[in-house]
Amino acid sequence: MIIFKNSKDLKKYFENIHDSVGFVPTMGALHAGHLSLLKKCREVCKISVCSIFVNPTQFNNPDDFKKYPKTIEKDVLLLEENHCDILFLPDENEIYPDEQSRKKHFDLGYLETILEGKFRPGHFQGVCLVVEKLLHIVDPDFLFLGQKDFQQCMVIKRLIELMNKNIKLVICPILREDNGLAMSSRNLRLNSSERETASELHHTLLSIKQDLTSDNFLALKNKAIQHLQKIGFKVEYLDLAKEQSLELVSHFKEGDHLVLLIAAFLGDVRLIDNLLITS
Ligand code: AMP
């Protein structure tokens, strides 16, 4: 694996490469979920590029940024073991050399007004800011993202349209711990009993899916929130949406493709999860 810290060197390296390039952007503290994206990338593309950059502009909560887990030595070993070809590891100055470089606005429309967009103001602007820069630097043919961040996938799809780039998006399934908890770097901040409790997010979505009919979502939602609050969660949202547009719905008709999405705090750790539903 070659490690580049500087975008000029990486671009220069790619001048002589004409094979298909796949890109897996991450914020590090790597787990099997990230590695599943790399595996898919290696299946599809000749050259695999991962990046690790904890992007300050996408953290609407400074404390969350400060406490974000960092395990860089372990990450490098994991990427090497998993045959990543190139790691892009920029520092903050490389991505944001001056104040101006933090200032662009992206027209995300409705997508930014709901769910993560509503509860994390500015978050998706920060995501677009960094992903746009990374896509210019790496210039991949394929981009690999996790369904774990369902709304982020839609935002980046929109970003690629705005950039007018020909990049194919590959959305990979959510990897889970044995107890059902969606793997996440933030899980490192949970102790073992909290990890057990945290798995209830997934089980709650599964039980809603099982009991869901075309017109009972709001009743199921209220019951689920009460249950989650009782075991220690502070729920930010629990919503049902159309899979293609993320339009929030409480009723649906047979054949609709839907997704259940949840965000909740356990202590000061914010967790998200989602579950696809074909009615
Ligand atoms: P992050 O490092 O959290 O920014 O995530 C980097 C990429 O890995 C994103 O595309 C995530 O959606 C994806 N990812 C995170 N957790 C998982 C998971 N449990 N399963 C699959 N992909 C994931």
Side-chain angles (χ1 to χ4, degrees):
M1 183 171 75
I2 313 176
I3 302 180
F4 290 95
K5 296 192 169 177
N6 178 301
S7 48
K8 277 202 195 93
D9 294 342
L10 178 58
K11 278 183 170 169
K12 198 162 171 22
Y13 175 83
F14 274 126
E15 276 172 13
N16 302 317
I17 303 247
H18 304 287
D19 293 320
S20 58
V21 173
F23 182 37
V24 180
T26 82
M27 297 207 297
L30 300 181
H31 50 67
H34 296 114
L35 298 176
S36 72
L37 269 55
L38 172 59
K39 182 164 183 268
K40 185 75 192 167
C41 174
R42 293 188 61 246
E43 282 164 18
V44 176
C45 300
K46 265 270 183 351
I47 298 196
S48 54
V49 184
C50 285
S51 65
I52 297 180
F53 179 65
V54 185
N55 174 34
T57 62
Q58 74 186 67
F59 285 82
N60 53 315
N61 173 353
D63 205 43
D64 189 27
F65 177 54
K66 219 165 63 198
K67 291 185 179 164
Y68 199 84
K70 290 171 192 76
T71 59
I72 187 65
E73 276 115 34
K74 190 170 154 234
D75 292 350
V76 170
L77 285 179
L78 275 174
L79 291 176
E80 267 175 348
E81 275 167 27
N82 286 273
H83 313 287
C84 176
D85 297 311
I86 291 170
L87 168 59
F88 182 48
L89 191 59
D91 66 11
E92 199 172 322
N93 262 337
E94 185 65 30
I95 299 294
Y96 301 116
D98 50 35
E99 267 313 296
Q100 199 52 34
S101 62
R102 297 172 185 254
K103 286 218 165 94
K104 191 165 175 183
H105 181 83
F106 299 85
D107 178 13
L108 302 175
Y110 167 76
L111 269 183
E112 209 180 3
T113 65
I114 47 156
L115 307 164
E116 293 297 287
K118 179 172 165 191
F119 284 91
R120 301 186 69 188
H123 168 64
F124 286 131
Q125 291 297 323
V127 168
C128 287
L129 207 53
V130 73
V131 174
E132 184 189 47
K133 290 175 198 293
L134 292 170
L135 293 179
H136 278 311
I137 295 166
V138 177
D139 198 18
D141 301 292
F142 290 82
L143 178 64
F144 297 83
L145 301 174
Q147 186 208 313
K148 158 92 190 323
D149 297 273
F150 191 91
Q151 192 175 4
Q152 175 171 277
C153 292
M154 298 183 75
V155 164
I156 292 178
K157 184 166 171 242
R158 168 99 184 116
L159 173 69
I160 291 170
E161 284 164 13
L162 290 172
M163 289 173 73
N164 218 348
K165 280 261 188 197
N166 183 17
I167 299 173
K168 285 163 215 77
L169 203 58
V170 181
I171 298 176
C172 305
I174 305 174
L175 250 75
R176 298 181 179 281
E177 306 286 353
D178 289 344
N179 68 6
L181 172 63
M183 289 183 181
S184 163
S185 304
R186 287 187 178 85
N187 295 351
L188 288 174
R189 295 180 52 206
L190 302 172
N191 65 33
S192 62
S193 112
E194 287 169 329
R195 278 175 182 235
E196 276 315 304
T197 306
S199 72
E200 269 301 301
L201 286 185
H202 178 53
H203 297 296
T204 300
L205 296 188
L206 283 176
S207 90
I208 292 177
K209 178 174 177 170
Q210 195 169 32
D211 297 342
L212 192 65
T213 61
S214 61
D215 60 1
N216 70 353
F217 173 65
L218 290 180
L220 295 179
K221 168 176 169 166
N222 286 336
K223 205 174 116 207
I225 289 179
Q226 275 179 24
H227 165 66
L228 290 169
Q229 280 171 348
K230 219 188 245 166
I231 60 174
F233 283 101
K234 189 173 156 281
V235 179
E236 280 198 333
Y237 62 78
L238 168 51
D239 281 311
L240 181 64
K242 292 194 178 163
E243 187 187 333
Q244 293 302 318
S245 61
L246 268 195
E247 180 195 338
L248 303 184
V249 296
S250 51
H251 298 73
F252 58 89
K253 55 182 188 330
E254 220 186 291
D256 282 352
H257 292 268
L258 305 160
V259 56
L260 276 168
L261 305 110
I262 191 164
F265 278 96
L266 192 56
D268 68 346
V269 182
R270 189 174 184 279
L271 302 166
I272 59 172
D273 202 349
N274 64 77
L275 191 65
L276 295 175
I277 293 173
T278 307
S279 62

